[in-house]
Amino acid sequence: MAREIVSDMDGLRRTHYCGEVALSDVGSQVVLMGWVNRKRDLGELVFIDLRDRTGLVQVVTESKSTPASFEVAQNVKSEYVLAVRGTVKKRAPGMENPDLKTGAIEVQADEIRILNTAKTPPFYIWDDAGADETLRLKYRYLDLRRAPLQRNLEIYHRTSMAVRNYLSSRGFWEIQTPMMTRSTPEGARDYLVPSRIDKGKFYALAQSPQLFKQLFMVAGIDRYFQIVKCFRDEDLRYDRQPEFTQIDIEMSFAEEEDVWGEVEGLVKYVWKEVLGVDIEPPFPRLTYQEAMERFGSDKPDTRFGMEIKDVTPVFSGSSFGVFRSAIDQGGTVRAIAVPGMAGASRQEIERLTERAKLHGAKGLITVAYLGGEVKSQIRKYLTDEEIAGLAQATGASEGDLVLIVASDFDTAVTVLGRLRLELASKLGMIPKDRYNFLWITAFPLLKINEETGRWEAAHHPFTSPFKDDLDKVRPDATDEEKGKIRARMYDLVMNGVELASGSIRIHRRDLQEKVFALLGMSQEEARRRFGFLLDAFEYGAPPHGGIAFGMDRMVMLLAGAENLREVIAFPKTASASCLMTEAPAEVEPERLAELGIILAKDVKRS
Ligand code: ASP
């Protein structure tokens, strides 16, 4: 049986990795170790593609010239683990494989040892053509044998090393912080860990090291960073995982420019090290307000134009009801010009209108400039002046289709912002191989939570408000005032993705207490949850600020991967489970008893 054909390494030592055997090795003896990627049996001749993490090499054995290895090769199957001792030969002319790094040579096997057998894997390792992802995640260790995933893991490693080298060279110290802690509010639910010793009490898994890194600044550490796991229990999307990795950074005596300068240097260094790409800081800066006005998003993709324009002045005298009522109610009329889309069919326009409604608009008005004519559902309401003014304001010319949304500001720009993205990708307007970084600044300090209807911190409650807005930081501030407080917060955005987020922090107790109060937190609650931070601020806390990168997301972009699961070794599914270990799992009743926990489903019975 299979077992008996297996032998041991017995002192045989690897001389080369498979993918690294080269023409210059022709004539030498090599020892390779790896997996059988594929085997081709031609009767008197057997070819084996041997694979390790560096790539493939062709091993050949023949019944006449190498009978010993030939006999073993007969038993070999896909994914068997082999040691091969042999001689490197140049391939015969015409037999080279230009697709393979080692395609000019092959290894004639004097000896093949089967170090282990393998069952037939549930999917082909060598074939990238999508095996079912459920299966891939269940057998993740096999999935990770595949070249694209190994490449992604290598990029992850190289990114980590680049980050560490750069930040260390800039005087940042990597220091670890606790994972089991009290809640650090980053706007998500906590994962809780019950205490056995102190029954009824729970640790929270850190949503970020935010409070600890601020305390490092109080402690005089001056510059800190950490590549760190963070845990947030929230609904998952393609670019979210319940546990994810941040590059967390904090600096003392720093203002915005200092943080941005360090981050720009880091990005430049990482992109060069990992991709060999030159990035040219400083990055452009847009306020949140400008970003919303021009792109309808706080993470604009600036690789293409099609910017949103305010056409309210064009229609200020309009008799068309939708424009009229939007304007009269203090709303706005906004538009984008879609190049070359004037010939869109009625169905296409209907589809666009459906999309606009899905994104929250009541409707969509279109104006097509085609063949010297103007086509629009509201043609009869449009004056010549308005038609010309619209073209001028949006930059529309012959062949373009203008999309118009009239409503409150937020709806108008977000709807057009989304259509802008959808159409750009559909029309192939987004250049690949471009890295458009930019800073978004001056975010609102507070936002209304859609579910609870309550004001909460847009970033986290430790973000400093703008000095000019401090007069509005009062518990009795009106909603209008609350909405206008700007935060010293910034996001680093690239190609429409939020890469990093940070802020200049509050470092004085009185201001921190005021912001807690603004958030509706009682003094008692503030003291109970954040007393240690408030106390620390009274012992000489320096001004400080920082930022955190979503590292998995950054590697995903560096690797050109579509999904976070392609760069995380052992990811969770959209329902936060691990298909391989089957976590989360039930635990023994005794373990629950030790923790003093009774499950709700067992309460009735007990
Ligand atoms: N702790 C913040 C976050 O996780 C980042 C920061 O403000 O530095 O989003």
Side-chain angles (χ1 to χ4, degrees):
M1 272 300 294
R3 279 284 138 207
E4 289 150 28
I5 63 172
V6 172
S7 31
D8 287 320
M9 285 174 64
D10 282 334
L12 197 62
R13 300 186 64 184
R14 172 162 66 184
T15 62
H16 289 68
Y17 280 95
C18 297
E20 289 170 354
V21 187
L23 262 181
S24 54
D25 297 311
V26 167
S28 20
Q29 280 271 319
V30 294
V31 176
L32 307 172
M33 314 260 167
W35 288 261
V36 176
N37 199 54
R38 283 220 267 177
K39 170 179 136 180
R40 274 156 298 144
D41 192 336
L42 307 184
E44 299 302 293
L45 199 61
V46 174
F47 291 105
I48 293 168
D49 286 341
L50 197 66
R51 183 192 69 237
D52 61 27
R53 70 176 199 193
T54 62
L56 297 175
V57 65
Q58 175 164 290
V59 173
V60 56
T61 171
E62 215 190 336
S63 64
K64 287 210 203 75
S65 52
T66 50
S69 72
F70 180 80
E71 201 175 304
V72 181
Q74 302 288 301
N75 294 313
V76 159
K77 294 192 182 123
S78 280
E79 299 311 313
Y80 274 30
V81 186
L82 305 185
V84 173
R85 193 172 51 74
T87 313
V88 182
K89 299 262 153 112
K90 198 166 169 355
R91 289 202 200 179
M95 304 302 280
E96 298 94 347
N97 179 354
D99 296 334
L100 209 59
K101 202 168 100 198
T102 59
I105 53 101
E106 60 190 6
V107 174
Q108 190 180 49
D110 297 318
E111 181 187 357
I112 295 179
R113 290 190 205 171
I114 298 176
L115 301 181
N116 211 345
T117 59
K119 296 210 294 198
T120 306
F123 47 84
Y124 292 116
I125 308 294
W126 48 268
D127 185 7
D128 294 348
D132 171 49
E133 203 189 13
T134 317
L135 213 52
R136 287 178 44 198
L137 289 175
K138 181 166 159 64
Y139 297 94
R140 187 63 163 176
Y141 46 87
L142 295 178
D143 197 24
L144 290 178
R145 277 187 195 165
R146 296 166 53 237
L149 282 175
Q150 294 205 342
R151 173 184 160 269
N152 290 351
L153 294 185
E154 189 192 356
I155 290 180
Y156 209 120
H157 161 71
R158 287 181 25 226
T159 307
S160 305
M161 295 307 289
V163 167
R164 291 195 157 109
N165 288 338
Y166 183 80
L167 289 175
S168 175
S169 80
R170 300 290 308 162
F172 291 85
W173 293 353
E174 181 164 29
I175 314 175
Q176 299 189 353
T177 49
M179 306 244 144
M180 285 162 57
T181 176
R182 278 189 86 109
S183 180
T184 297
E186 295 282 1
R189 245 178 247 112
D190 288 320
Y191 278 102
L192 297 175
V193 180
S195 164
R196 175 180 58 82
I197 294 166
D198 222 342
K199 291 191 184 37
K201 293 199 174 157
F202 294 82
Y203 304 92
L205 294 183
Q207 289 189 35
S208 83
Q210 185 62 36
L211 295 168
F212 295 105
K213 70 174 172 172
Q214 289 192 242
L215 293 170
F216 282 150
M217 299 304 107
V218 180
I221 299 302
D222 200 77
R223 291 182 159 214
Y224 141 94
F225 85 100
Q226 188 182 185
I227 295 183
V228 62
K229 276 287 173 93
C230 300
F231 305 85
R232 297 183 193 178
D233 185 2
E234 54 193 346
D235 292 334
L236 307 181
R237 306 185 305 225
Y238 79 100
D239 62 349
R240 266 195 201 154
Q241 282 277 315
E243 57 177 302
F244 62 95
T245 305
Q246 281 191 346
I247 305 166
D248 195 39
I249 296 175
E250 197 74 9
M251 352 177 358
S252 288
F253 307 107
E255 300 206 292
E256 285 82 344
E257 295 291 340
D258 304 298
V259 179
W260 300 346
E262 292 302 337
V263 167
E264 287 171 349
L266 172 65
V267 165
K268 184 176 165 69
Y269 184 81
V270 168
W271 254 252
K272 186 72 186 175
E273 283 293 298
V274 177
L275 294 183
V277 167
D278 287 304
I279 301 288
E280 288 310 326
F283 303 147
R285 293 152 196 186
L286 274 188
T287 64
Y288 170 83
Q289 187 60 26
E290 287 166 337
M292 294 307 290
E293 300 231 357
R294 290 172 52 190
F295 303 99
S297 163
D298 61 3
K299 36 177 187 286
D301 190 337
T302 56
R303 287 174 297 174
F304 61 98
M306 210 154 66
E307 292 187 19
I308 302 170
K309 302 289 174 183
D310 185 2
V311 296
T312 322
V314 176
F315 296 108
S316 58
S318 175
S319 58
F320 176 55
V322 174
F323 292 170
R324 210 36 299 132
S325 68
I327 295 172
D328 290 347
Q329 286 168 29
T332 184
V333 188
R334 304 277 157 151
I336 57 174
V338 189
M341 221 190 147
S345 67
R346 178 125 52 85
Q347 288 93 312
E348 276 177 282
I349 302 276
E350 269 165 27
R351 230 175 294 136
L352 274 179
T353 309
E354 282 316 307
R355 300 296 303 166
K357 286 185 178 160
L358 203 76
H359 298 319
K362 290 223 186 68
L364 181 73
I365 310 284
T366 58
V367 177
Y369 293 83
L370 189 61
E373 303 266 305
V374 170
K375 278 201 321 189
S376 171
Q377 315 90 322
I378 61 161
R379 179 70 187 86
K380 63 177 179 200
Y381 295 100
L382 297 174
T383 65
D384 289 349
E385 254 175 22
E386 286 170 344
I387 289 169
L390 180 67
Q392 211 206 0
T394 58
S397 53
E398 169 59 25
D400 296 352
L401 180 71
V402 176
L403 312 183
I404 309 174
V405 177
S407 75
D408 60 285
F409 174 80
D410 284 348
T411 309
V413 295
T414 43
V415 169
L416 287 172
R418 295 212 175 126
L419 294 179
R420 173 183 175 266
L421 283 179
E422 291 172 6
L423 287 168
S425 100
K426 200 172 131 203
L427 300 173
M429 287 169 68
I430 308 180
K432 305 278 173 243
D433 298 337
R434 271 263 276 283
Y435 301 97
N436 275 25
F437 291 91
L438 74 158
W439 290 106
I440 307 296
T441 69
F443 279 81
L445 184 77
L446 307 175
K447 62 165 195 243
I448 292 190
N449 180 322
E450 301 286 343
E451 273 165 41
T452 60
R454 287 180 40 177
W455 287 98
E456 57 185 35
H459 188 39
H460 50 55
F462 316 108
T463 300
S464 185
F466 266 46
K467 216 174 180 176
D468 288 348
D469 295 338
L470 282 178
D471 58 321
K472 300 191 244 338
V473 182
R474 302 186 319 268
D476 63 342
T478 63
D479 278 358
E480 205 196 330
E481 285 177 313
K482 285 184 183 165
K484 283 203 181 129
I485 307 173
R486 288 161 304 164
R488 295 181 71 181
M489 166 189 172
Y490 32 80
D491 276 1
L492 179 66
V493 170
M494 186 196 79
N495 296 357
V497 178
E498 177 196 315
L499 262 193
S501 192
S503 60
I504 300 301
R505 325 296 184 187
I506 298 166
H507 66 283
R508 295 207 185 105
R509 180 172 186 139
D510 55 344
L511 182 56
Q512 187 63 73
E513 282 180 335
K514 277 190 198 158
V515 168
F516 284 151
L518 187 68
L519 291 166
M521 216 184 278
S522 69
Q523 266 194 353
E524 192 277 321
E525 185 186 357
R527 213 161 291 148
R528 181 166 46 79
R529 292 177 62 190
F530 304 114
F532 61 100
L533 181 76
L534 293 169
D535 288 346
F537 283 173
E538 291 189 304
Y539 290 96
H544 59 283
I547 194 161
F549 280 77
M551 177 145 183
D552 308 311
R553 205 180 284 178
M554 176 162 140
V555 174
M556 174 175 103
L557 296 168
L558 284 165
E562 297 280 314
N563 192 307
L564 281 181
R565 297 193 292 275
E566 301 296 307
V567 301
I568 296 176
F570 295 104
K572 305 263 188 309
T573 64
S575 52
S577 61
C578 169
L579 297 179
M580 187 182 69
T581 62
E582 296 183 347
E586 287 171 351
V587 299
E588 312 286 312
E590 301 83 64
R591 288 287 297 125
L592 287 180
E594 267 175 0
L595 295 166
I597 290 178
I598 302 175
L599 298 179
K601 71 175 174 67
D602 298 329
V603 169
K604 262 187 245 128
R605 254 187 278 145
S606 55

